Amino acid sequence: MDTHKCIDSKERKYYILARLINGEHLSYQHLADDYYVSRSSIANDIAVLKKRLAKDNVALSFNNSGSYLGGSELDKQKIIKRVVIDLFELNSLELKNLINLFVDSNLILQILQLFRGKLQAWKLELPENCLNDITISTAILVFRGKKGHQISWDKSMNILFQQIEQYPLVYQLLRTIEEAGIYQLNNTESEYLSYIVIGNGVNFFMKNDQVPLGFVNEVKKLIVNVCDALGIDVNKDTILVNSLIVHLYQMKFRLQSKTTVINPLLGEIKNNYPDLYGVVWYALSEFAKINDLPISDDEVGFVTLHFQAAVERNKAINRILFVCPNGIGMSSLICAKIKRILPAAALTEVVSKHNLMKKDLTNVSLIISTVQLTEQSVPVVYISPLMTVCDMKKVANTYIDVVMKHKETIKDETEIDKKVIPLLKGKIIFTDRKGPKQIIDLLLENGSWPSEQIKNSYEQTIIEREKLQSTYLSNGFVIPHGNPALVEKSSISVAILAKPINWGNNRVDVIALLMVNRNDQRIVEPFMNLIMQGINDKNWFIAKMMEAK
């Protein structure tokens, strides 16, 4: 690699990352000399890379020879996949060309064509994002394997794959690489990629798609926990239950193979559904502990969408009244046009102007009328008797404004305060302590513990959870918590640090310790909503904590 050339800051970060992945130890001075920039510029690059690596829970370490990348070969391939997918999403051709620093882009296209051809021959329609994930994961493994970078694989996890031949479609799909003369997979690589394939399409590739009963019960318990925290009832939504069972079972395969599906909508999900995301994140952390799975933010985002879809299905059907004094033929024509532009769930009822006076409008969201009406308690959109294209646009826009826009009304901050602030009074700490354990010990003192032994046991479950998966969220916020069965009286304690400290692979300055009993799940939703707002505006959050203190 010719590193001795001038490249801009955006490209430089990718060059440095590629060199780290390939095993180089790089000092700041060495990099500054290579790229003709200052040490401070390199320091900024390294800070950005550390944040990127933290997404996949991989550390950037240091020794006398400089910075180097820790982790296994599988960890490195996971990082490469995230980078490649990010680059594919960009509009910039120059940045897309950087893919070749990590994997041959032509190899990706070649494998994609092979897999797509095989699926078409089988008449299987695997979702595009799943096919892309399988393809990129495979291409990275092949590319790295050819360069001598071999993965190590924990055989104890391969209970379902004692013989890959028992899963003929998976076996045949992977065989296409060997048949095309691209690469000869060894047994370890075949087993690893099998998990990737199954993890992206368990309902397509498994010979027997029956999910174990114990796992099904865990998923149902997860749904109950989310419902209890949100105060909603979607437990009997069969679409949610069935789709989540399949999704989480596939997720289990993905995470056991140390990979994850990159979620391109993660930022939007956090912004649009912050309280739901926070509750799902919390519920999944317990699910993860039971199943020994390090669940990523990407996966939390996907599960959040499953619950949001159930919430949408659970909403009351929107009634729309159509007022028309003309004959049945004209009414039928306009109703037919209305049904073309509005969702099927929007029930349209035709009424006369006279009968409108007698109607109960409690559950009516919108009135569409061809005649002028007296002032109504619900919005009215007026159209011509022939309902022109302009009228159709007017109806559609009004429906969106009235019914859909801000359907999930932003919660009143005052209401959130009433639920959360009393829990925090006297439990906000501003401190300059520098160690995670010191801070957790301090926060635990604000809890109500029947005995010192139970408090110590709860602390141990916090430590165990952090070893499995960091409870870091974003923007310096971390939400440690332990086994709720050990909590007798629920409480929350928050530490605001004078300076950020290392928390695993992240830097944190807001530590919120949740000490929540299983019966008090409703506490979680308003607090996580507060946290998600704080991630977007830390100064606002600190001001709220000052109030509580």
Side-chain angles (χ1 to χ4, degrees), residues 394-421:
K394 191 194 299 184
V395 169
N397 290 337
T398 306
Y399 179 84
I400 291 170
D401 287 341
V402 172
V403 178
M404 302 301 293
K405 192 175 182 181
H406 298 309
K407 188 79 179 191
E408 307 78 23
T409 308
I410 296 171
K411 290 181 173 55
D412 182 355
E413 285 181 15
T414 308
E415 286 300 314
I416 295 172
D417 290 351
K418 287 178 182 176
K419 293 178 181 177
V420 177
I421 298 301

Side-chain angles (χ1 to χ4, degrees), residues 485-545:
L486 295 171
V487 178
E488 188 173 87
K489 183 179 179 182
S490 297
S491 62
I492 300 170
S493 189
V494 179
I496 311 292
L497 307 187
K499 291 182 180 180
I501 64 166
N502 289 328
W503 190 285
N505 296 319
N506 296 284
R507 299 280 287 171
V508 306
D509 54 4
V510 178
I511 298 101
L513 179 62
L514 296 185
M515 298 166 278
V516 179
N517 184 280
R518 291 190 192 279
N519 297 324
D520 294 329
Q521 295 294 312
R522 293 295 294 273
I523 294 172
V524 175
E525 188 265 340
F527 182 72
M528 291 307 295
N529 187 283
L530 194 70
I531 289 291
M532 297 304 291
Q533 290 185 53
I535 287 172
N536 289 328
D537 188 345
K538 189 177 287 184
N539 289 333
W540 170 87
F541 180 84
I542 292 174
K544 285 290 179 188
M545 295 303 100

